[in-house]
Amino acid sequence: MLRIHCTTDDLLRVTIAEQPAPLAELTIAMEMMQRRDFHPTFASWRQHMARTLPAPARPLLQLVSPLGAGPEFLDPLSVDIDEGIDQVMSSPRTTVRAELKRMCAIDRPLTPWIRLLADHDGDTWKDLHRALWTAYRAVLAHRWPQLRTAFYVETAWRARILSRHGLQATLTSLAPSIRWHGLTLEIDFPRDVTIASTGQGIVLCPSLLWAGHLLASSCPDGRLLLIYPAVTPLPLIQDTAPSDPLAALLGTTRARALQLAIHQRTTTELAHDLDVTVAAASMQAKTLREAGLITSHRDGKAVWHQCTPLGLDLLTASA
């Protein structure tokens, strides 16, 4: 369980990230690459990355955890890759040692390479520099225009939720199983972690390469950064952006499923209308439900799906 103790000042200062940060997405990609749980959306992407990730990039896998944790010096929020890597390379030694110690306490083995990195060995830091550049070119560079466009579509939609439906709807729709207890946000999480925010505010930032629970870290200015999985992850984004803004946000099949759910549909009916298998229709419905766009209820053997007010608002806005 992740518990975030907020203050009223934090909730008055909730903002949405304006641009994606390449090193943050790269770190998350390296974390996602190592996960072994079932996320069919990322299955072929992970297999491809496992085969094609160049050897010079692989030391990064020693630094980040499939639980969604990594040393904070590794993923500055710079929107420029050159500037971001420069920030990594100039990280204070005390910060590096503390963060590597924290990561090894979570689930990273203390390898000889990590020891040398902590000791600020010159050749090892050159390896890190090469690993970051090689990984960026192999994992992100060729898809960065699509990722950036999808990021803007996602954040524009979240901003609309915030303005039309308020903070509670915005935060509880970020990921499954988010709930409020007073001023404490409780989130299903693979570890037991408690964070006391400082009143500086909260920044919401989507990731196109993460699935499941929220990720939390600190911004340099003291704000709490909440990274949440975008509704449509990078593996589902088309190389050419669709003309329909709803399809750009949700993906073509998921957008059609939401449109169909204006009127109640069973999973079988969705599968028929979408021309997909029942299992695929169920997966699309699950994603829409977790985003707060549809509700589902069982009646005997059938599961019925219908748009929520948030889903209807999204359809209206994109019409």
Side-chain angles (χ1 to χ4, degrees), residues 287-311:
T287 303
L288 293 171
R289 184 170 58 252
E290 290 177 348
L293 299 177
I294 67 169
T295 58
S296 303
H297 72 275
R298 181 175 291 278
D299 184 8
K301 293 183 178 180
V303 178
W304 292 84
H305 312 283
Q306 188 165 26
C307 277
T308 63
L310 186 62

Side-chain angles (χ1 to χ4, degrees), residues 141-278:
H142 63 295
R143 297 298 308 276
W144 191 250
Q146 290 85 14
L147 185 150
R148 188 172 51 212
T149 299
F151 180 97
Y152 293 148
V153 172
E154 169 78 30
T155 53
W157 176 53
R158 294 292 171 183
R160 181 179 175 85
I161 297 176
L162 184 60
S163 65
R164 293 289 299 273
H165 300 276
L167 185 59
Q168 182 175 358
T170 302
L171 292 177
T172 55
S173 66
L174 294 179
S177 304
I178 299 178
R179 51 205 170 270
W180 284 100
H181 280 252
L183 291 177
T184 299
L185 198 61
E186 294 186 348
I187 304 145
D188 286 352
F189 201 69
R191 297 177 287 128
D192 194 23
V193 178
T194 299
I195 297 174
S197 57
T198 61
Q200 301 301 308
I202 298 172
V203 182
L204 309 180
C205 182
S207 171
L208 280 292
L209 285 163
W210 185 250
H213 59 80
L214 293 188
L215 304 176
S217 65
S218 298
C219 295
D221 59 9
R223 291 180 297 170
L224 178 67
L225 178 67
L226 291 183
I227 298 175
Y228 66 91
V231 173
T232 301
L234 189 61
L236 293 184
I237 295 172
Q238 301 172 5
D239 287 336
T240 57
S243 57
D244 178 7
L246 185 62
L249 173 66
L250 300 178
T252 304
T253 303
R254 220 173 275 164
R256 178 64 180 146
L258 182 62
Q259 291 165 338
L260 291 168
I262 291 175
H263 304 289
Q264 276 199 354
R265 290 285 202 286
T266 66
T267 306
T268 301
E269 289 172 337
L270 279 179
H272 177 269
D273 292 341
L274 295 171
D275 194 23
V276 299
T277 66
V278 172

